[in-house]
C-alpha cells in the first residue's frame, strides 16, 4: 500500500484551501443559486456539479503520491463539515466518494488500479460509489447473492444491487460479490472496481427510486452483468469480511464531519429565527421551553465537534479499524439520532413556516432520517453495542455496569458522571429490546468520554459542560426505561374483534 504523506506545504496550506472551498460553496448555493429551490429538484444542476468539482474536495481522500492531498482524516472531516453546513446531500455525495470508494481503493487497490483510477478523479472530476445492499439482503448483507467467477484473466460478476447512492451517475463502482463454487457461494466476500466508461463494465439502472429526501442523490435498483480485469479486484490483507469491517467502521467515523456541519447549521438557523421572532411581545428565545430546544441544538453541535476530534485521531487508512466496531457504531448511532432529533426541534421552533421542502427545517427532517437506516439500522447496531459490551463483562467476570464502565477504555473517563444512574448489576441474558436500550445508554456514555477528550484542546468548556449535562439527562431517561418491565408485546391478529362502534357503553 502506497499512502505517501502529503507534502508539508500542502498541509500548512489546508487552511486557505478550506476557506476557498467554503467561499465557493457559499457562492454556488447562496449567491449564484438558491439552495432552497435547488433542493426540491431531483439531481444536481450541471453548474453546481462543475463548480463543486473545480474545488477538488475529493483530493483530500486521495494519497499525495497520486496527486491528492494525502488522506488526512482531519482534512476529510473538515471538508465534509463545511459541505454539510451548506447542504447535507452534497456532503453525503462527498462521503460516498471518499469513505466508500477512494479510501478503500487507496488502502487495498493494486498500484496500477490506483494510478489509473485516481488520475481520472484528479484530472477528470470522476465520481465513485459503493454497491453492497441487495433487494432481499439489507441488514443481512453477508448473505448477498451477487456472485462472481474467474474466467482466464478476468472476473464475471452478476447480480442485483439497490439503494446505491449515485446510481447511474458514478464513473466507478466498488461492488461486493461472493465467489461461485460448485455447491453454492463462498461465505467470504470480495470487492471489485467497475469502470462505467468501459462497455463490459457498465452497470444498468433497472428502476429509479423516488427517494423521500436527499433529492440531489439518485438511487435505484441496479442490474450487474459485467466483466472486469483481474487487477480490478481489491487485495485485502486477510478476509474480505475483515476488509468490509475496516471499510464500514471508517465510513461510520466519517459521519462525524457530516453531522457536525449539519447540526452547526441547525443551531445557527434556530438562534437566528428565535431572536428575530416575537411572540406575545417577547423575543422567542426568551421563553424557557424555546431555550431548552436551543440548548439541545447547541449540545448536538458540540457533540458533533467532539466526535470529529475522535475520528480525526483514530480513522487513518494506515490503521486497521477491524477491531474498532464499538467506537464506529457509537459514531453512527448517536450522531444520526442527534441529527434527526435536532431537525425535529428546529422544525418545532420554526412552526408552520418550516413545514416545507423548500425550507431548511422541513428538509432537514427528511434528509437526516435515512442516516438512522443506511449502513445498518440503529436498532440493530445498538443491540450490537450492548452485546459486545456484555461479552467483555462476561469474559472479565464483572457484573456491575458502573464498574465495567470504569474499566473500559472508551468509558473510563466518563463513568464517574453516571455513578448514581448506572450503579447496578446487569444480567447477561437480556431480551432484544433491553439490549437495544442498553446500547443506547452505553453509546451516550462513550459520547461523554469523547466530549472530555475535546476539552483539552481549548474548546469552550462551557459548551462541553452543557453537552455533558444534556447527555446525562438522556441517560437518566434511558436508564429509567431500561429498569422498567418492558413486557408490552404484540397481540396476534392485528386489530381484530368488534369495531369500537359496536362496543356497549
Amino acid at each position: 500500500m502506497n499512502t505517501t504523506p502529503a507534502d508539508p506545504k500542502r498541509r500548512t496550506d489546508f487552511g486557505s484551501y478550506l476557506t476557498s472551498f467554503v467561499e465557493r460553496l457559499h457562492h454556488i448555493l447562496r449567491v449564484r443559486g438558491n439552495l432552497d429551490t435547488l433542493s426540491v429538484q431531483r439531481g444536481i444542476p450541471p453548474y453546481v456539479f462543475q463548480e463543486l468539482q473545480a474545488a477538488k474536495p475529493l483530493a483530500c481522500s486521495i494519497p499525495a503520491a497520486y496527486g491528492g492531498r494525502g488522506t488526512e482524516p482531519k482534512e476529510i472531516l473538515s471538508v465534509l463539515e463545511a459541505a454539510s453546513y451548506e447542504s447535507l446531500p452534497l456532503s453525503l455525495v462527498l462521503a460516498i466518494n471518499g469513505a466508500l470508494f477512494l479510501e478503500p481503493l487507496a488502502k487495498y487497490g493494486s498500484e496500477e488500479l490506483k494510478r489509473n483510477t485516481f488520475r481520472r478523479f484528479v484530472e477528470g472530476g470522476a465520481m465513485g460509489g459503493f454497491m453492497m445492499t441487495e433487494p432481499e439482503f439489507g441488514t443481512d448483507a453477508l448473505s448477498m447473492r451477487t456472485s462472481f467467477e474467474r474466467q482466464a484473466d478476468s472476473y464475471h460478476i452478476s447480480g442485483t444491487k439497490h439503494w446505491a447512492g449515485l446510481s447511474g451517475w458514478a464513473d466507478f463502482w466498488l461492488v461486493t460479490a461472493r465467489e461461485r463454487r460448485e455447491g453454492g457461494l463462498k461465505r467470504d466476500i470480495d470487492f471489485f472496481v467497475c469502470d462505467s466508461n468501459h462497455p463490459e463494465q457498465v452497470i444498468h439502472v433497472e428502476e429509479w427510486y423516488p427517494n423521500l429526501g436527499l433529492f440531489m442523490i439518485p438511487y435505484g435498483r441496479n442490474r450487474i452483468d459485467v466483466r472486469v480485469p483481474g487487477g480490478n479486484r481489491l487485495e485485502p490483507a486477510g478476509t474480505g469480511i475483515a476488509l468490509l469491517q475496516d471499510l464500514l467502521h471508517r465510513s461510520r467515523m466519517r459521519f462525524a464531519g457530516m453531522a457536525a456541519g449539519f447540526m452547526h447549521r441547525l443551531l445557527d438557523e434556530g438562534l437566528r429565527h428565535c431572536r428575530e421572532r416575537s411572540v406575545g411581545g417577547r423575543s422567542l428565545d426568551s421563553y424557557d421551553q424555546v431555550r431548552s430546544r436551543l440548548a439541545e441544538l447547541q449540545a448536538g453541535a458540540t457533540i458533533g465537534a467532539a466526535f470529529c476530534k475522535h475520528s480525526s485521531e483514530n480513522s487513518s487508512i494506515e490503521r486497521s479499524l477491524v477491531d474498532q466496531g464499538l467506537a464506529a457504531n457509537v459514531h453512527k448511532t448517536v450522531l444520526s439520532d442527534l441529527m434527526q432529533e435536532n431537525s425535529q426541534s428546529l422544525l418545532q421552533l420554526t412552526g408552520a413556516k418550516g413545514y416545507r421542502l423548500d425550507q431548511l427545517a422541513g428538509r432537514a427532517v427528511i434528509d437526516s432520517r435515512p442516516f438512522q437506516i443506511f449502513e445498518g439500522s440503529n436498532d440493530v447496531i445498538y443491540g450490537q453495542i450492548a452485546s459486545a459490551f456484555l461479552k467483555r463483562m462476561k469474559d472479565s467476570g464483572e457484573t456491575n455496569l458502573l464498574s465495567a464502565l470504569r474499566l473500559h477504555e472508551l468509558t473510563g473517563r466518563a463513568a464517574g458522571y453516571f455513578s448514581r444512574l448506572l450503579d447496578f448489576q446487569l444480567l447477561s441474558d437480556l431480551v432484544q429490546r433491553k439490549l437495544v436500550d442498553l446500547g443506547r445508554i452505553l453509546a451516550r456514555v462513550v459520547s461523554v468520554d469523547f466530549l472530555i477528550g475535546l476539552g483539552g484542546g481549548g474548546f469552550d468548556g462551557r459548551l462541553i459542560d452543557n453537552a455533558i449535562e444534556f447527555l446525562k439527562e438522556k441517560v437518566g431517561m434511558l436508564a429509567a426505561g431500561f429498569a422498567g418491565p418492558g413486557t408490552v408485546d404484540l397481540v396476534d391478529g392485528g386489530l381484530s374483534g368488534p369495531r369500537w362502534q359496536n362496543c356497549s357503553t
Side-chain angles (χ1 to χ4, degrees), residues 306-478:
F307 275 70
C308 279
K309 184 173 185 293
H310 177 269
S311 178
S312 71
E313 296 169 347
N314 293 278
S315 63
S316 165
I317 65 172
E318 279 78 24
R319 177 180 181 180
S320 171
L321 301 188
V322 172
D323 63 348
Q324 295 299 305
L326 179 58
N329 288 345
V330 169
H331 272 261
K332 197 276 184 189
T333 51
V334 171
L335 292 172
S336 60
D337 279 356
L338 283 172
M339 290 166 72
Q340 177 64 194
E341 291 163 8
N342 285 15
S343 298
Q344 294 284 0
S345 278
L346 179 62
L347 180 55
Q348 196 68 27
L349 289 171
T350 54
K353 175 185 176 182
Y355 190 62
R356 295 170 48 159
L357 275 177
D358 61 354
Q359 293 292 316
L360 175 66
R363 194 167 63 246
V365 171
I366 302 302
D367 285 349
S368 65
R369 184 62 179 87
F371 283 74
Q372 295 173 299
I373 301 171
F374 60 54
E375 286 202 22
S377 165
N378 279 11
D379 282 354
V380 173
I381 297 177
Y382 277 129
Q384 292 172 348
I385 290 171
S387 295
F389 200 87
L390 286 172
K391 183 181 184 303
R392 177 159 167 163
M393 288 180 65
K394 183 178 181 180
D395 291 344
S396 66
E398 183 58 68
T399 59
N400 181 274
L401 178 57
L402 182 63
S403 298
L405 291 171
R406 292 186 189 280
L407 294 173
H408 200 287
E409 62 274 11
L410 288 179
T411 57
R413 294 181 297 182
Y417 286 95
F418 303 96
S419 55
R420 293 186 179 181
L421 291 171
L422 303 180
D423 187 7
F424 55 81
Q425 300 300 111
L426 198 57
L427 300 175
S428 59
D429 56 343
L430 297 173
V431 297
Q432 188 179 35
R433 70 183 68 183
K434 291 299 182 181
L435 277 175
V436 173
D437 288 344
L438 177 60
R440 290 192 176 102
I441 291 170
L442 294 170
R444 281 149 185 82
V445 177
V446 174
S447 301
V448 170
D449 196 274
F450 291 171
L451 282 163
I452 294 170
L454 182 64
F459 200 90
D460 191 332
R462 298 169 303 168
L463 295 175
I464 294 173
D465 291 342
N466 270 8
I468 290 175
E469 287 302 311
F470 167 79
L471 288 171
K472 284 175 62 179
E473 289 181 6
K474 291 291 184 183
V475 169
M477 291 186 286
L478 290 168

Side-chain angles (χ1 to χ4, degrees), residues 164-213:
L166 306 178
S167 290
W169 278 15
D171 302 277
F172 293 93
W173 288 103
L174 184 59
V175 177
T176 58
R178 298 165 64 195
E179 186 174 5
R180 292 193 292 272
R181 289 184 172 179
E182 187 175 346
L185 299 179
K186 185 178 176 182
R187 181 178 181 275
D188 201 15
I189 60 175
D190 281 274
F191 298 74
F192 300 88
V193 172
C194 293
D195 182 351
S196 298
N197 290 313
H198 193 287
E200 291 191 329
Q201 300 179 42
V202 177
I203 296 174
H204 298 280
V205 182
E206 292 183 318
E207 177 189 359
W208 296 102
Y209 291 163
N211 34 296
L212 188 62

